[in-house]
Amino acid sequence: MTNVLLLENPHRIASEILESAGLNVRVVKGGLDENELIDALEGVQILGIRSKTEVTTKVLAHSPSLEVVGAFCIGTNQIALGTAAERGIPVFNAPYANTRSVVELAVGEIIALTRRLTVKNSMLHRGRWDKTAANAHEVRGRTLGILGYGNIGTQLSVLAEAMGMRVLFYDIEEKLALGNAEKAASMADMLSRSDVVSIHVNGNPSNKNLIGSEELALMKPGSVLVNLSRGFVVDQVALKDALDSGHLIGAAVDVFPEEPKESGDPFDSELQGMDNVILTPHIGGSTIEAQHDIGAFVAQKLIDYMALGNTSMAVNVPNLALPVTPSSAARLTFMHHNIPGVMAQLNEALASTHINVEGQGLATMGSLGYAITDVSTPLPPSVMERLKLSNANVSARCLNLQM
Ligand SMILES: NC(=O)c1ccc[n+]([C@@H]2O[C@H](COP(=O)([O-])OP(=O)(O)OC[C@H]3O[C@@H](n4cnc5c(N)ncnc54)[C@H](O)[C@@H]3O)[C@@H](O)[C@H]2O)c1
């Protein structure tokens, strides 16, 4: 029986999918500390966690039955990825499952700021009827500048154009412009021509204070800024100054240079107390739909690895998925040290037993290699024994393809 331990309560779709694949699932609501986790992992092949559980080198060293880890979240910093790779344990996450949620929040904030909704809302709550159109615009026809045209930036580009916005983008990489979006000549060009600037760059440390007082000064008077990327990308004091002076008429900020660890913790920011600023506690990707999609995506990755050896989109081992040919009876997966002669060893082990190879694939990543080989008849134990004794062996598995 294959045992699964799911910690930190991922969306229930995850356990439903894993159970329907015939796996024995144990769900624990909270996280576990290092020693509790080691105890709980006895006899467990599949571990599912979210962001709080630390899968340390010690946990991996004391969990000999563990074969694969699923991070039901986006980040994987909580896992000793290198050690997991050395032990032949792939780690999967769900990097794109919340993209749409972030984009929808950005769209909502762009409309809210362009229509001055937060200001009108605050005034009315304070008992003041301020029925004017001053500074309130339709988004149709206005220019959205997207800084960072990756997964989120490109999705936003599509939705913004559907609302009639003109899209201008700037990215340090060469990117295909979607729809009618226009590539700006430089970041300065993009900043100076946009009515709304939405930031979606990645968390590269070189992006620290990418937007400071000089860049804000380049933005159009009366424009607005949205940041749902990383807190350190925008100089918070410079942003407050630009808002105080009236140069920017609004901002939406979901990410901060310093963020509290736990929900319910106190929070402090230069930007608090301003009617024209939307502050949200890093919830860009936090929706029921994103949680559902993360649960379904990672659960399926775990099943595909256990049943077929597929590692496509694993974060720490070579990515490989081999289609199953109908004539194959068994699949041999071989995670190995990337050294000369490994494939010869593998194929000699098969040739010595006169087994026909139906399909084979190899991927490498640094010092690690991964080969999947489909064969026409069940594998004799001698092949697995030979591979496990190989100087290149990290982990070898034999999967039955005849369902
Ligand atoms: N608020 C949230 O809850 C939330 C949720 C998910 C992702 N995010 C953040 O959103 C950001 C974007 O995510 P993604 O999945 O689209 O990432 P991505 O890696 O797909 O795209 C980032 C893009 O930014 C570009 N880039 C990097 N530095 C740049 C620079 N200095 N100038 C111009 N372009 C630059 C990259 O070339 C890339 O195209 C990340 O920082 C991520 O952490 C936030």
Side-chain angles (χ1 to χ4, degrees):
M1 186 61 151
T2 302
N3 295 316
V4 185
L5 176 65
L6 286 187
L7 303 179
E8 303 180 61
N9 224 12
H11 193 283
R12 67 183 148 69
I13 188 75
S15 42
E16 285 171 16
I17 290 174
L18 292 162
E19 274 164 2
S20 66
L23 306 176
N24 178 37
V25 182
R26 178 182 166 214
V27 180
V28 174
K29 277 207 162 164
L32 296 177
D33 69 23
E34 198 172 52
N35 290 328
E36 291 169 334
L37 182 55
I38 290 170
D39 289 344
L41 280 173
E42 202 179 324
V44 167
Q45 288 77 32
I46 303 175
L47 171 64
I49 59 163
R50 290 175 69 187
S51 52
K52 289 199 187 108
T53 304
E54 305 228 341
V55 182
T56 59
T57 297
K58 183 175 162 192
V59 168
L60 293 165
H62 288 82
S63 308
S65 59
L66 189 61
E67 293 187 30
V68 60
V69 175
F72 288 86
C73 51
I74 313 298
T76 51
N77 294 345
Q78 70 282 35
I79 303 165
L81 294 177
T83 311
E86 282 162 20
R87 303 182 73 87
I89 299 173
V91 173
F92 294 96
N93 66 342
Y96 312 125
N98 65 4
T99 298
R100 178 67 184 217
S101 298
V102 179
V103 171
E104 289 195 12
L105 182 60
V107 167
E109 292 180 334
I110 289 166
I111 296 175
L113 293 170
T114 305
R115 283 301 290 272
R116 311 280 290 156
L117 282 191
T118 57
V119 175
K120 301 288 179 192
N121 175 60
S122 300
M123 281 189 160
L124 218 50
H125 276 289
R126 289 201 294 267
R128 174 127 178 255
W129 187 259
D130 178 39
K131 185 173 161 42
T132 69
N135 288 325
H137 298 274
E138 294 182 350
V139 293
R140 179 175 54 167
R142 290 182 75 80
T143 300
L144 168 65
I146 300 178
L147 182 57
Y149 206 58
N151 297 309
I152 294 173
T154 48
Q155 274 271 327
L156 177 60
S157 175
V158 172
L159 294 202
E161 280 203 333
M163 296 191 299
M165 296 190 84
R166 274 197 293 267
V167 174
L168 194 59
F169 70 89
Y170 176 70
D171 198 292
I172 45 171
E173 303 278 339
E174 196 51 49
K175 296 282 172 163
L176 173 71
L178 299 185
N180 297 317
E182 182 194 340
K183 184 182 165 195
S186 62
M187 184 167 87
D189 175 42
M190 190 271 287
L191 293 173
S192 63
R193 289 164 59 203
S194 301
D195 301 300
V196 179
V197 170
S198 195
I199 307 175
H200 302 288
V201 297
N202 57 31
N204 191 312
S206 64
N207 283 333
K208 185 164 191 235
N209 290 337
L210 182 65
I211 301 296
S213 48
E214 277 178 32
E215 291 72 24
L216 292 166
L218 291 172
M219 287 177 63
K220 276 181 165 180
S223 59
V224 302
L225 183 76
V226 175
N227 183 20
L228 293 104
S229 63
R230 294 292 181 96
F232 62 75
V233 172
V234 177
D235 178 340
Q236 306 287 289
V237 176
L239 176 58
K240 180 179 166 41
D241 289 347
L243 290 159
D244 278 343
S245 71
H247 179 60
L248 296 193
I249 61 159
V253 183
D254 185 47
V255 286
F256 302 87
E258 310 274 319
E259 294 183 2
K261 278 210 164 63
E262 304 282 338
S263 192
D265 282 355
F267 171 73
D268 231 355
S269 159
E270 294 82 355
L271 302 170
Q272 281 165 321
M274 304 172 91
D275 289 351
N276 55 344
V277 177
I278 302 173
L279 298 180
T280 45
H282 204 145
I283 46 142
S286 306
T287 61
I288 303 297
E289 289 75 13
Q291 291 306 320
H292 175 281
D293 291 354
I294 289 170
F297 183 87
V298 178
Q300 195 55 52
K301 285 282 165 200
L302 296 172
I303 290 168
D304 288 351
Y305 176 69
M306 291 305 285
L308 299 170
N310 288 349
T311 55
S312 60
M313 291 183 69
V315 296
N316 63 333
V317 298
N319 285 195
L320 183 63
L322 196 69
V324 177
T325 43
S327 51
S328 301
R331 172 165 281 196
L332 170 62
T333 71
F334 188 39
M335 193 83 70
H336 55 263
H337 300 298
N338 185 14
I339 53 176
V342 180
M343 294 306 284
Q345 282 184 33
L346 169 62
N347 289 326
E348 268 165 31
L350 292 166
S352 67
T353 55
H354 304 288
I355 288 178
N356 193 42
V357 171
E358 298 286 326
Q360 190 167 57
L362 168 72
T364 61
M365 186 169 118
S367 60
L368 209 57
Y370 185 53
I372 301 179
T373 307
D374 285 355
V375 292
S376 53
T377 53
L379 269 183
S382 62
V383 175
M384 295 307 290
E385 280 157 21
R386 245 175 104 163
L387 289 179
K388 285 189 171 161
L389 289 174
S390 156
N391 60 340
N393 178 44
V394 174
S395 77
R397 295 194 306 148
C398 176
L399 308 172
N400 180 8
L401 294 178
Q402 285 178 336
M403 304 298 162

